[in-house]
Amino acid sequence: MSSKSILKFIVSVVLWSTLWPAVAGAQEACAPPKITANAKPYNIFSPEQEMILGDLTYQRLSGDLRFVRDPQLSAYLTAIGEKLIKHLPQTGLKFQFHIVDIPEANAFNTPGGHVFVSRKLIAFVRNEDELAGVIAHELGHAVVRHAANDFSRYLKEVLNVTQVGDRKDISDKYNLLLERQRTKAVSRGAGHENEQQLEADQIGLFALVAAGYDPTMFAGFFDRLAETKGRTGSWFGDIFGKTKPEEKRLRTMIKVTEQLPAQCRENRRASTSEEFLKWQADIISARDANRREELPGLRWKKTLAPKLRTDISHLSFSTDGSHFLTQDDFAITVVQREPLQVAFQIPATNAREATFTPDGKFVVFGTENLRYEKWSVADKKPVEIRELVVRRDCWEHEFSPEGKYLACIDYATNLSVLDTQTGNKVWEKKEFYRLSSLELLFWIIALATDEQAKERSFFHIEFSPDARFLVVTRSSAFRYSFKIDGFEEGATEDTLLALELSTLKPVGVGGELKKATRRPFLFLDANRILAMSSKKADESGIFSFPEGKRLAKFPLGGDELKRTANPNYVVVKLRAGTTRTGIFDLTRNIIVGALNKRDVTFWGDQMVLESVTGKVVLSEVRYDEANKILQSSNVRTIEIPVSTIGALEVAELSDNFQWLTISSKSRGAVWELNSGEQKMFVRGFRGALLANNGTGIGDFPRLEPANHSLVYLNPQNNTAEPIREIPERGATQYGQFLLLRRSLKQAADGDDGSASLASEVRFEVRNIVQDKLIWSREFPKEAPGYFFDKFSGRIIFYWTLGSETGKARLKEDATLAARAKQLGNKTDDYLLEVVDAFAGKTVGTMLLETGKGSFAIKSGFSERDWLVLHDSENRVLAYSFNDGELRHRFFGANAAINPVKNQIVVENYPGELTFYDLDTGETQARLLFGSGAAFVRFSLDGKGLFVLSGEQTAYAFDVENLKPQPTSATR
C-alpha cells in the first residue's frame, strides 16, 4: 500500500464515523458492517473464476517481482492474515500472502485473494499491529472484490466482454486484454476510487479491531510514513487552510479509532513483540536459498569447475591492512591478508561499493534500494541489516564510511541525512538546489543519446574518511551557459553545502572550493580535499577544508577519484578507453601507473588487483625513479569463490552435450561436461561455435593490439589461433554463421565506419568456417530490427507498418495488405519476415498486432512452422506460419522449442521450467531447480534437454522419460 493509498484509507473513514454507531447497534456480536457505498458492483467473475484470474496475474507479475520464498517466513505473514480473515465476510476466495523484494514500502492485492507485502514495508513497521493494519486494508479490498470489479469493467469497455467461462476462456480474454489495453482509454473517477476505499476501510479496520489488534498503532505507522510528525492540526486550521491534508487525515483516523464500539475492543491482546521482532529481523536478513529440486528424466548433473566469475568492480583494504575486500556483481568477498585466504563472502546484488569502517572491524554497504548492511569481520556475520524508507525516493544518495548515515537527495531536490540504525531523518534542507528546465532538458537528451549519461549525476555527495564531514555540490554534468555579445547572461549555478555530522550544523566554506568541486573530488582527510579543475586540467590540486585555500597545484583529470589505504596513492578512473585506471602519487603529484583494470587498491607497499584469469593478485610495488613509473612484482594469488552468474554474453553447446562454452563481458571458458572440468580460459567473446570434439570458433572483439577477429579455439591443447579479421562494427557471429551489416552509402572497401547502419544497409550471412556467402539482401530504406536464432539458423526481421518499408511491403503483397486491413492497419503493428540462413530463403511472413503498442517484442526464435516471441508482458507467444495466428501464450521468459516435435519448454518462474504441447497448449511435465536458468537448449534429435543454472551447474535430461508433474498456481 503506497502512502497515497494510505491517505485515501484515512480520508474515507470520515464517512464511516457517521455510519458506525448504527452498525454497532445492529451487530451486537461485533459482526462486520454492511456495505452501502457501492452495494451494486459490476463483477462477472465467480469466486472460482476470480481465483483463475488471480493465478494469471501472479504469473505475469513473477517476471518483475523478486519473492522471498522461504515457507517458514511466509507462514508468519499468513498467520496474521488468517487472524483477520476469521472476522471477514465469506467470499469463497482462498487467500494467499506473498513477501516481495521491491524498492518501495508497499503492499497491494490482486484478484483471487493474492496479497503482496514488500520486505521494505515489513522492515518499516514497528510491531505486528502496524503490519496487521496494512494487511487489513488490503483484505478489505479483496473481500469486496474490487480487483475483479475493475477487471470486469476493463473487459467490458475494452473488449466488450460481459461473461467468462473456464480457465482457457479466462486466460484467452486476460491475454487479449493485455494485447488491447491501449486501444481504449478507461477512466477511473475520484468518486469510484473513494467508494472503493470506503468499502475496504470499513471492513478492514473492523477486522483489525475484532482480531485483537490496536488500531491506534496504525496511526503511528501513518504518522511516520507521511512525516506528519504527530501534528494533527485543528478545526481553526481547517477553516483557514493552515492544516496540511496529511495532518487532518491523521486526526480523523485517531478520532475514529477512539469511537469504535466497546464490544469490538474486548478481544484486545498484547502484541507479541519478541516473536514479531525476530521474524522481522529474519525477513530483513533473508537471502535467496537453494530450493528443493525436482528433476524427472535427469541423465546427469555436473557443476562447472572452476566456475566463471563476473569482473571484480571494486577493491578496498582495511586501514590496518589485515583484510581486503573484492566486490563483483553478486558478492562481496572479505580476504585475510596474512595468511592469504578467503575469510567469508557476503551475497550482495545491486550493492554500492562496500567499505571497511575506519576501525577495520566491520564491512558496511548499501544498495540502490536503500538496503543497508553491516558485517562483523571477526564474527563473519551481519550485525545490522536495515531497509531504509524515504517518503520521496532518493534520486541520488551515498552512505557514510562507517555506515551511520545516509545522505539522500530526493526527487524534490530536498537534501536529507538519515540515521541508518533508526531510519529517522536527523537533518534536512528543503530544495537544496532547484534544477532549471534547461538542466532537466539536457539530462533527458543525454539519456536518450549517450549510453554513459546514466553514470553521471547532478550532484557530488562526499564524506570525509572519518565521517566527520559531509559535502554536497552541484556536479559538472548537464550544465548550461549562454552568452550575449560576449557576456555570460545565464549559466548553471555552483552550490556547495558542508555539514558537520557530530553537531548536524552547516559549515562555512571559502576560497575556490565551490568551483573546484564541480568535477569529482574527494577528502584526503578531514582537513584536505583533492579536486579536479573543470576548466584546465593543470589547475587541479589540493585545497584546505573548510577554508578552501589552495595547498597544491598540478594537472589531474578523470571521471572518478578513489582513496586507498596508502595515503600517498589515489586511484583515478576513466569510463572509456583501454586505460581505465590510473595511479596518482600525491607525494610527486604525477600519474605513476596506468592499468586496463576496473579497480586497484593499496596498503603500504602492497597492491591488490584482478588478473586476466580472474584470480586476485597481491603484489609489492616500488617507484622506479629513472622511468618515473610504479613497478610491481607479483607475490601471491588467490581464487575468489563464485556466487552466481548473471546475464551471459554467449552460451554455446556441442551437439553431443559434451562441451560447453560461456562468456561474460570480459572472460570466457570451455568446459568438458563428462567431468565438468574447465579445459580452456580465454578473454570475453561475443559469439561461438563448438564441435563435438570441443574445438570451436569464437568472435573476439578488438583488444589492442588485436583487431576484431574470428579465433580458432582448441581446448585439447589449450591454444587459440586467429582465423581472420572481421569488420569492427556490423559483424557478429551467431553459431556457424557470420552476419555482416554494411552501409550502402559507402563501398565496403572505403567504409570508414561513419555511415549509419539504421538505414540503407546490406545484410550478408556467411558460413563461419568457409567464409562463403549464403544469403544477402539490401534494405534501401529503414534497416529492420532483427533476432538471430543461432540454433535454428533463422533470422527474424521486423518493421512497424508505419515505416516506409512496412508501407511498401503492403503495396507489394495483396495478401499481407488484406490481413493488415483486417487488423486495422495500425502503424505500430509489426511486419515480420523469417529467413532461413541454411537454405538462404524466406520461410514465413506474418503480421503482428500490438494493440496500439500495448506490448513490445523483446526477443524471438523459430523452428519449423513456429515463430516464438518473448514480449514486454513476461509472456512467450507461439505463432504458426501456416495461418499467421497466435496459437498459445505462456507466462515466462527463458524458452526453447523442440526442433523435432511440437514441444516447448518455458521458465515460468525463476528455476521452474514447464514443458508444453504446442498442439494443445497443455502441460506435459515440470522441472524445479535450486536457482534460475541461464541457458536452455534441446538436442538436435529432440530427445534431450540441456539446462545451465545461474549457479553454473549443468543438467541433461531425457525428454522422452519426463513424468507429468502436478500444476501449482504459485510457488
Side-chain angles (χ1 to χ4, degrees):
M1 180 173 58
S2 65
S3 58
K4 186 180 293 184
S5 298
I6 296 171
L7 298 181
K8 294 173 181 175
F9 167 55
I10 295 171
V11 75
S12 62
V13 296
V14 178
L15 297 178
W16 185 22
S17 65
T18 64
L19 299 175
W20 184 266
V23 172
Q27 306 290 336
E28 295 182 0
C30 203
K34 294 179 180 179
I35 301 303
T36 58
N38 190 11
K40 296 180 179 180
Y42 176 68
N43 185 3
I44 65 174
F45 292 88
S46 69
E48 294 75 16
Q49 291 171 327
E50 184 182 339
M51 285 190 284
I52 294 171
L53 177 64
D55 293 344
L56 293 168
T57 306
Y58 177 89
Q59 292 174 40
R60 179 189 172 204
L61 291 175
S62 293
D64 299 320
L65 299 177
R66 289 184 60 192
F67 291 82
V68 178
R69 299 182 186 274
D70 187 318
Q72 292 182 334
L73 296 179
S74 298
Y76 192 99
L77 183 68
T78 300
I80 297 174
E82 289 176 345
K83 292 173 188 175
L84 298 165
I85 292 169
K86 289 192 300 184
H87 303 280
L88 295 172
Q90 293 297 316
T91 61
L93 300 176
K94 179 183 177 182
F95 291 96
Q96 299 180 62
F97 299 87
H98 313 279
I99 303 169
V100 292
D101 194 3
I102 57 177
E104 298 84 18
N106 202 354
F108 58 96
N109 73 92
T110 60
H114 292 269
V115 177
F116 301 80
V117 183
S118 74
R119 168 154 56 182
K120 192 173 285 288
L121 186 139
I122 292 172
F124 184 73
V125 300
R126 291 181 175 172
N127 50 55
E128 185 176 314
D129 295 70
E130 290 186 357
L131 180 59
V134 176
I135 298 173
H137 177 76
E138 298 306 328
L139 287 173
H141 282 293
V143 165
V144 190
R145 303 176 67 190
H146 287 149
N149 295 347
D150 288 342
F151 207 88
S152 298
R153 183 163 167 250
Y154 294 147
L155 284 172
K156 182 178 181 180
E157 296 192 20
V158 177
L159 302 179
N160 198 29
V161 168
T162 57
Q163 63 181 11
V164 292
D166 60 9
R167 177 177 289 273
K168 184 179 184 305
D169 181 61
I170 296 170
S171 177
D172 289 343
K173 288 170 180 172
Y174 179 86
N175 280 283
L176 191 60
L177 183 62
L178 293 180
E179 294 157 14
R180 301 290 185 274
Q181 56 186 298
R182 293 191 179 184
T183 59
K184 287 187 180 180
V186 180
S187 61
R188 294 181 61 182
H192 167 77
E193 185 74 21
N194 289 337
E195 288 177 352
Q196 286 197 346
Q197 294 298 327
L198 173 62
E199 292 177 333
D201 300 337
Q202 285 181 347
I203 295 223
L205 190 53
F206 169 83
L208 180 71
V209 177
Y213 290 105
D214 184 354
T216 62
M217 293 285 186
F218 195 73
F221 163 80
F222 171 74
D223 185 20
R224 297 196 315 279
L225 190 66
E227 297 180 0
T228 56
K229 299 180 180 179
R231 295 188 297 270
T232 59
S234 66
W235 64 270
F236 183 87
D238 293 347
I239 293 174
F240 291 97
K242 300 295 184 181
T243 304
K244 294 181 180 180
E246 295 89 345
E247 296 171 359
K248 180 178 179 181
R249 289 161 181 167
L250 176 59
R251 186 181 78 243
T252 302
M253 182 180 185
I254 295 172
K255 182 177 180 180
V256 169
T257 56
E258 291 172 349
Q259 295 176 350
L260 297 180
Q263 63 266 36
C264 291
R265 296 174 176 271
E266 294 173 358
N267 295 327
R268 179 77 186 106
R269 57 171 180 75
S271 176
T272 54
S273 58
E274 293 298 325
E275 182 184 6
F276 173 79
L277 292 176
K278 181 182 183 305
W279 173 76
Q280 184 185 48
D282 290 342
I283 288 290
I284 296 171
S285 61
R287 305 280 181 183
D288 286 337
N290 286 341
R291 299 185 293 274
R292 175 177 53 88
E293 293 188 330
E294 294 180 11
L295 308 173
L298 180 66
R299 290 181 186 172
W300 50 260
K301 173 182 175 181
K302 297 289 183 182
T303 298
L304 304 187
K307 298 177 181 178
L308 192 69
R309 186 175 46 74
T310 57
D311 291 353
I312 290 176
S313 58
H314 172 59
L315 294 156
S316 181
F317 260 112
S318 61
T319 51
D320 63 2
S322 62
H323 293 81
F324 63 86
L325 63 82
T326 73
Q327 184 171 351
D328 60 25
D329 294 339
F330 301 99
I332 298 163
T333 305
V334 178
V335 181
Q336 181 177 301
R337 188 175 61 87
E338 292 292 348
L340 188 62
Q341 61 186 21
V342 172
F344 61 97
Q345 191 170 65
I346 306 169
T349 303
N350 298 323
R352 293 238 171 162
E353 291 186 352
T355 62
F356 288 96
T357 53
D359 59 12
K361 294 181 179 180
F362 303 94
V363 172
V364 295
F365 66 94
T367 71
E368 294 298 326
N369 297 337
L370 302 188
R371 180 181 175 87
Y372 163 75
E373 300 193 20
K374 183 177 183 179
W375 287 64
S376 167
V377 174
D379 298 333
K380 305 176 183 180
K381 64 181 182 180
V383 293
E384 289 181 28
I385 300 180
R386 306 276 186 251
E387 290 279 353
L388 302 177
V389 176
V390 178
R391 187 182 180 194
R392 295 183 180 92
D393 292 340
C394 291
W395 191 355
E396 298 176 9
H397 71 273
E398 291 292 341
F399 288 87
S400 61
E402 87 297 9
K404 184 178 180 180
Y405 296 109
L406 167 71
C408 165
I409 299 175
D410 64 27
Y411 284 94
T413 65
N414 302 318
L415 171 62
S416 57
V417 177
L418 279 73
D419 184 318
T420 56
Q421 289 187 314
T422 64
N424 294 334
K425 187 183 298 182
V426 296
W427 185 88
E428 182 180 32
K429 181 175 178 58
K430 296 286 188 180
E431 289 192 343
F432 157 71
Y433 181 92
R434 182 172 292 183
L435 293 169
S436 70
S437 56
L438 275 177
E439 289 170 301
L440 292 172
L441 177 62
F442 290 160
W443 174 58
I444 294 170
I445 294 173
L447 290 178
T449 58
D450 184 358
E451 293 183 358
Q452 295 184 355
K454 61 183 179 181
E455 298 179 22
R456 298 195 292 271
S457 57
F458 278 101
F459 305 98
H460 296 309
I461 305 174
E462 288 291 331
F463 290 89
S464 59
D466 58 1
R468 181 183 171 189
F469 295 107
L470 165 68
V471 170
V472 185
T473 71
R474 175 68 172 91
S475 76
S476 58
F478 318 115
R479 284 177 169 260
Y480 72 92
S481 66
F482 56 89
K483 295 182 179 180
I484 299 177
D485 295 331
F487 295 95
E488 187 175 272
E489 296 294 333
T492 298
E493 295 182 4
D494 292 314
T495 188
L496 185 152
L497 183 142
L499 187 71
E500 186 170 6
L501 293 170
S502 60
T503 61
L504 295 175
K505 292 183 179 180
V507 176
V509 176
E512 303 177 49
L513 275 181
K514 185 176 286 189
K515 290 184 178 181
T517 51
R518 289 182 185 178
R519 297 281 304 279
F521 66 95
L522 60 77
F523 278 93
L524 296 175
D525 49 47
N527 303 309
R528 297 180 303 155
I529 283 180
L530 173 64
M532 297 183 292
S533 172
S534 59
K535 293 184 178 180
K536 296 181 180 180
D538 57 4
E539 293 183 357
S540 302
I542 299 174
F543 300 83
S544 65
F545 179 83
E547 299 83 7
K549 180 181 178 181
R550 182 183 286 275
L551 304 177
K553 182 179 179 180
F554 44 74
L556 180 64
D559 297 316
E560 181 184 347
L561 297 174
K562 180 180 171 182
R563 281 186 299 270
T564 73
N566 182 328
N568 295 330
Y569 295 133
V570 168
V571 174
V572 184
K573 294 187 178 183
L574 298 174
R575 295 193 184 100
T578 55
T579 301
R580 293 186 288 177
T581 299
I583 303 163
F584 188 80
D585 188 329
L586 290 166
T587 64
R588 297 176 174 86
N589 294 336
I590 59 171
I591 294 287
V592 294
L595 301 165
N596 185 21
K597 302 291 181 183
R598 294 184 67 179
D599 199 16
V600 62
T601 195
F602 296 86
W603 178 80
D605 62 355
Q606 299 198 352
M607 175 176 68
V608 171
L609 52 78
E610 182 185 26
S611 70
V612 174
T613 63
K615 291 182 179 181
V616 170
V617 179
L618 184 65
S619 304
E620 289 185 354
V621 297
R622 65 177 181 82
Y623 183 70
D624 183 341
E625 191 69 49
N627 295 304
K628 308 295 183 184
I629 195 169
L630 201 65
Q631 300 284 3
S632 66
S633 57
N634 294 352
V635 178
R636 289 169 290 173
T637 63
I638 186 171
E639 288 274 7
I640 301 299
V642 178
S643 57
T644 187
I645 193 75
L648 295 171
E649 293 288 318
V650 180
E652 193 58 63
L653 182 71
S654 63
D655 292 338
N656 60 4
F657 281 19
Q658 295 302 302
W659 294 87
L660 172 73
T661 182
I662 62 175
S663 176
S664 64
K665 288 184 178 180
S666 63
R667 57 177 62 99
V670 181
W671 288 265
E672 195 274 317
L673 294 176
N674 282 328
S675 63
E677 182 183 357
Q678 186 185 108
K679 294 295 186 180
M680 188 175 190
F681 180 88
V682 293
R683 67 181 176 91
F685 48 89
R686 300 297 174 263
L689 171 67
L690 275 185
N692 284 339
N693 64 358
T695 59
I697 298 175
D699 174 359
F700 285 79
R702 181 181 179 184
L703 181 64
E704 293 182 353
N707 290 326
H708 189 190
S709 303
L710 296 174
V711 177
Y712 176 72
L713 304 174
N714 189 343
Q716 307 288 357
N717 56 22
N718 197 24
T719 59
E721 300 176 4
I723 299 174
R724 61 181 176 275
E725 292 185 0
I726 55 179
E728 179 63 23
R729 68 182 192 126
T732 309
Q733 179 187 3
Y734 295 95
Q736 58 188 293
F737 302 102
L738 179 68
L739 176 65
L740 295 172
R741 294 177 297 140
R742 304 180 188 273
S743 170
L744 296 176
K745 294 180 180 179
Q746 297 172 328
D749 292 340
D751 189 352
D752 61 1
S754 62
S756 170
L757 296 178
S759 62
E760 299 182 65
V761 177
R762 174 184 171 89
F763 277 64
E764 295 180 4
V765 177
R766 307 184 74 87
N767 180 282
I768 202 81
V769 177
Q770 302 169 344
D771 195 25
K772 179 182 178 182
L773 179 65
I774 300 174
W775 173 92
S776 68
R777 182 186 296 176
E778 293 183 355
F779 298 95
K781 297 179 181 178
E782 303 98 332
Y786 72 93
F787 309 115
F788 203 131
D789 182 348
K790 59 186 178 183
F791 185 50
S792 68
R794 291 184 173 184
I795 315 173
I796 303 162
F797 294 114
Y798 59 92
W799 304 262
T800 62
L801 292 187
S803 67
E804 291 299 315
T805 301
K807 293 175 182 177
R809 289 293 298 275
L810 293 183
K811 290 181 180 179
E812 297 168 0
D813 192 320
T815 303
L816 281 178
R819 175 62 174 160
K821 185 176 181 180
Q822 182 184 359
L823 296 178
N825 201 17
K826 305 178 190 69
T827 58
D828 42 20
D829 289 342
Y830 286 103
L831 165 68
L832 298 102
E833 179 183 355
V834 179
V835 173
D836 188 333
F838 284 105
K841 65 178 183 180
T842 297
V843 296
T845 305
M846 57 171 281
L847 299 179
L848 174 64
E849 186 177 11
T850 66
K852 292 186 176 180
S854 295
F855 66 96
I857 305 171
K858 298 178 72 174
S859 62
F861 55 96
S862 176
E863 283 281 3
R864 293 174 291 112
D865 180 48
W866 296 100
L867 171 62
V868 178
L869 303 172
H870 178 225
D871 75 356
S872 55
E873 298 294 333
N874 190 40
R875 299 182 304 167
V876 175
L877 310 175
Y879 295 84
S880 169
F881 283 133
N882 284 337
D883 51 19
E885 293 294 330
L886 174 61
R887 294 294 181 85
H888 305 291
R889 308 176 182 92
F890 311 104
F891 283 100
N894 284 337
I897 192 169
N898 193 311
V900 174
K901 60 182 179 180
N902 290 339
Q903 182 184 54
I904 191 171
V905 64
V906 179
E907 186 176 27
N908 306 116
Y909 311 99
E912 180 172 325
L913 272 67
T914 305
F915 292 82
Y916 296 98
D917 186 326
L918 281 174
D919 290 322
T920 65
E922 296 297 321
T923 299
Q924 295 178 324
R926 179 169 286 109
L927 303 173
L928 297 180
F929 299 85
S931 63
F935 175 60
V936 182
R937 175 175 289 180
F938 280 95
S939 60
L940 281 174
D941 61 8
K943 296 179 181 180
L945 179 77
F946 176 86
V947 178
L948 177 69
S949 75
E951 301 290 341
Q952 297 190 57
T953 299
Y955 304 78
F957 296 90
D958 188 341
V959 174
E960 296 183 338
N961 288 332
L962 290 170
K963 298 178 181 178
Q965 299 293 306
T967 300
S968 60
T970 61
R971 294 290 180 271

